């Protein structure tokens, strides 16, 4: 496999150059802002919560990986883009099952493994309708399911996750609109996916960071 093979996946890119997607590249700063905001909140609380700190670090790595993909735009940078996102999704899912739903550690890890396997087999079924965005459908459904369960049972964090679901749905719509709108809007809409997703991750981190007594 040629890891340097170029990938032209977004409307803004018109050539192979490093800065061929300037808006898509620079808009990843939104993830850095989300990570910085969450880190400052984490420090103020003084909880020494290593699991949440790891999730915050992953948001910063998501910014770097996505920046690499929207500049180098090849196979190795595509891997640098998707791996941190997957790690955050599974890490937050495991944390939510354990801390918000109240499952034991073993049950939470088993549930996360089941979620990962279901996503691998289920997401391709939605690809004819959603295209490459189908890969994010399991994460959206997971947020919806956990958020709805928390609200239904009067548990903390549910409303924050449902807000994240609404924004995530909008961000997915902009991701899917990038190519269809390209003839009319050459800049594309992928940069909006970055900005809205940064807000989604910030909301998820906010839920994870809130003290149990304040939820």
């Amino acid at each position: 496999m040629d890891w340097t093979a170029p990938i032209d996946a977004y409307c803004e890119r018109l050539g192979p150059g490093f800065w061929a997607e300037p808006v898509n590249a620079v808009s990843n700063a939104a993830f850095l802002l989300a990570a910085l905001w969450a880190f400052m909140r984490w420090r103020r609380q003084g909880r020494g919560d290593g699991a949440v700190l790891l999730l915050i670090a992953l948001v910063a790595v998501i910014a770097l990986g996505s920046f690499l993909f929207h500049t180098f735009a090849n196979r190795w940078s595509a891997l640098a883009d998707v791996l941190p996102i997957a790690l955050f999704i599974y890490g937050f899912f495991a944390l939510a099952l354990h801390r918000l739903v109240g499952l034991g550690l073993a049950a939470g890890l088993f549930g996360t493994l089941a979620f990962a396997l279901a996503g691998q087999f289920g997401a391709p079924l939605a690809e004819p309708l959603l295209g490459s965005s189908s890969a994010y459908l399991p994460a959206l459904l997971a947020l919806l399911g956990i958020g709805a369960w928390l609200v239904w049972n009067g548990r903390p964090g549910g409303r924050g996750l449902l807000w994240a679901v609404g924004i995530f749905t909008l961000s997915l719509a902009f991701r899917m609109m990038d190519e269809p709108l390209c003839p009319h809007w050459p800049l594309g809409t992928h940069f909006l996916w970055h900005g809205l997703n940064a807000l989604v991750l910030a909301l998820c981190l906010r839920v994870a960071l809130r003290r149990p007594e304040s939820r």
Side-chain angles (χ1 to χ4, degrees):
M1 177 181 292
D2 183 4
W3 288 98
T4 62
I7 297 175
D8 184 359
Y10 301 104
C11 177
E12 188 184 13
R13 178 166 289 275
L14 299 177
F18 185 88
W19 286 113
E21 295 180 61
V23 177
N24 285 346
V26 173
S27 59
N28 287 293
F31 294 110
L32 291 178
L33 292 175
L36 178 61
W37 170 84
F39 178 71
M40 293 174 63
R41 191 179 178 100
W42 179 85
R43 286 194 64 183
R44 284 199 306 269
Q45 291 183 351
R47 295 175 64 190
D49 192 333
V52 175
L53 181 60
L54 180 57
L55 290 177
I56 294 171
L58 278 173
V59 174
V61 176
I62 286 171
L64 175 60
S66 185
F67 175 81
L68 291 174
F69 180 51
H70 290 289
T71 49
F72 288 97
N74 52 27
R75 287 179 175 171
W76 71 259
S77 59
L79 192 63
D81 180 32
V82 299
L83 277 181
I85 297 172
L87 289 174
F88 182 93
I89 289 172
Y90 298 136
F92 181 79
F93 186 81
L95 182 143
L97 289 183
H98 180 54
R99 296 189 183 179
L100 302 180
V101 176
L103 296 183
L105 184 59
L109 292 176
F110 180 80
T112 303
L113 178 61
F115 165 62
L117 292 174
Q120 290 298 312
F121 289 103
L125 298 177
E127 192 168 346
L129 180 63
L130 302 179
S132 62
S133 296
S134 63
Y136 297 97
L137 183 60
L140 176 65
L141 295 178
L143 278 179
L144 176 61
I146 293 176
W149 187 90
L150 292 173
V151 170
W152 180 264
N153 289 278
R155 305 289 284 276
R159 285 179 295 178
L161 293 187
L162 292 183
W163 272 106
V165 167
I167 298 170
F168 194 11
T169 301
L170 182 61
S171 71
L172 270 174
F174 280 121
R175 188 181 193 276
M176 294 170 62
M177 290 162 55
D178 183 71
E179 185 177 352
L181 289 182
C182 196
H184 312 287
W185 182 251
L187 180 61
T189 57
H190 192 76
F191 70 97
L192 295 172
W193 156 262
H194 289 162
L196 290 171
N197 264 6
L199 182 55
V200 169
L201 298 186
L203 285 170
C204 290
L205 291 173
R206 182 176 182 270
V207 170
L209 279 164
R210 292 169 67 186
R211 295 179 183 275
E213 64 270 18
S214 67
R215 289 174 178 169

